[in-house]
Amino acid sequence: MLNDTTQVTPSGGSTAWARTFAVIYDPFLWVGERTGLRTLREQLLSHARGLTVEIGGGTGLNLPYYPNDLDGLILVEPDVAMSSRLEKRLRGGSSPARVVDASAERLPFADGSVDTVVSTFVLCTVDAPDLALREIARVLRPDGQLLFIEHVRSDSPTLAYWQDRLAGPWRRFARGCRCNRATAELIVTCGLELEHVSETSWHAMPPILRPLIAGRACPAKTRG
Ligand SMILES: C[S@@+](CC[C@H](N)C(=O)[O-])C[C@H]1O[C@@H](n2cnc3c(N)ncnc32)[C@H](O)[C@@H]1O
């Protein structure tokens, strides 16, 4: 039980664990980044254009891969432990990006004002992914795009069973991350159309996190 002085962070859990998680985040991903994820991030982000908003920027692992000719790069990050590392990374580099304290469920941008939204390993963590996806659809211009890499629920019944079994402990360890979320299915029910999706595997990670999807979605065309 939490005592009166224990601080609770937006994703739940104590501030101490939030800080620890932010510190171990990059080392935990290190091997996976070097065995494929870095290349996947680079390929995906080469398609970013115009005014770009990254939700859940985390520690800033995507920063090296953004094109230089964006009209602007805004990193939305509600977790103080993560955003302080993000700010530190920005200070050490040349990116003109700025960090905004907001959540994906409530984006501080006007309707149809953003060209590209980026989400890498965030739709698994947001509390209300349906709200977040509708917000993304709202802020995107009609010709805008969502670029994503997400780990998802497995098509294999055996692995999906283990994802369900381990969802609780994993969520507590990983600050709200759901390892069994069917994110591709959610994207298409929340005002977006999948234009391209590739399925791949997150190497050097626990099996419950390995099924990955990467791709691009666009605001659904209203028929009339
Ligand atoms: C697993 S990390 C991914 C970080 C980074 N995008 C990456 O690719 O390494 C998930 C991030 O989403 C953030 N997050 C959690 N809930 C969020 C929300 N409701 N809106 C926006 N970001 C959120 C977390 O603070 C964390 O930085």
Side-chain angles (χ1 to χ4, degrees), residues 11 25 29 41 54-58 61-62 76-79 82 102-105 120-122 125-127:
S11 313
Y25 186 77
L29 264 59
R41 290 183 193 271
E54 179 175 340
I55 58 166
L61 288 176
N62 285 332
V76 169
E77 178 51 66
D79 183 305
M82 285 292 196
S103 78
E105 291 93 335
T120 60
F121 307 107
V122 178
T125 297
V126 297
D127 282 335

Side-chain angles (χ1 to χ4, degrees), residues 44-156:
L44 183 82
L45 296 172
S46 68
H47 299 287
R49 56 177 161 75
L51 177 60
T52 298
V53 171
E54 179 175 340
I55 58 166
T59 59
L61 288 176
N62 285 332
L63 285 175
Y65 309 116
Y66 281 106
N68 290 325
D69 60 353
L70 297 178
D71 293 339
L73 177 57
I74 302 171
L75 308 167
V76 169
E77 178 51 66
D79 183 305
V80 177
M82 285 292 196
S83 64
S84 62
R85 300 188 84 75
L86 193 50
E87 301 267 17
K88 193 170 162 197
R89 194 169 237 143
L90 282 174
R91 282 196 296 276
S94 56
S95 170
R98 67 186 172 94
V99 181
V100 169
D101 174 9
S103 78
E105 291 93 335
R106 199 163 178 182
L107 293 171
F109 309 110
D111 296 2
S113 62
V114 174
D115 297 290
T116 303
V117 173
V118 171
S119 172
T120 60
F121 307 107
V122 178
L123 293 170
C124 54
T125 297
V126 297
D127 282 335
D130 50 341
L131 287 186
L133 284 161
R134 288 186 197 287
E135 269 296 84
I136 291 167
R138 179 186 69 74
V139 302
L140 281 174
R141 293 186 203 281
D143 63 347
Q145 56 176 352
L146 165 66
L147 302 177
F148 59 86
I149 304 172
E150 298 288 345
H151 66 84
V152 291
R153 184 176 187 81
S154 177
D155 291 334
S156 146

Side-chain angles (χ1 to χ4, degrees), residues 150-155 163 178-185 208-213:
E150 298 288 345
H151 66 84
V152 291
R153 184 176 187 81
S154 177
D155 291 334
Q163 287 177 317
R178 279 70 157 187
C179 60
N180 57 351
R181 195 171 264 174
T183 299
E185 287 78 350
I208 56 169
L209 304 183
R210 280 190 202 150
L212 283 191
I213 56 168

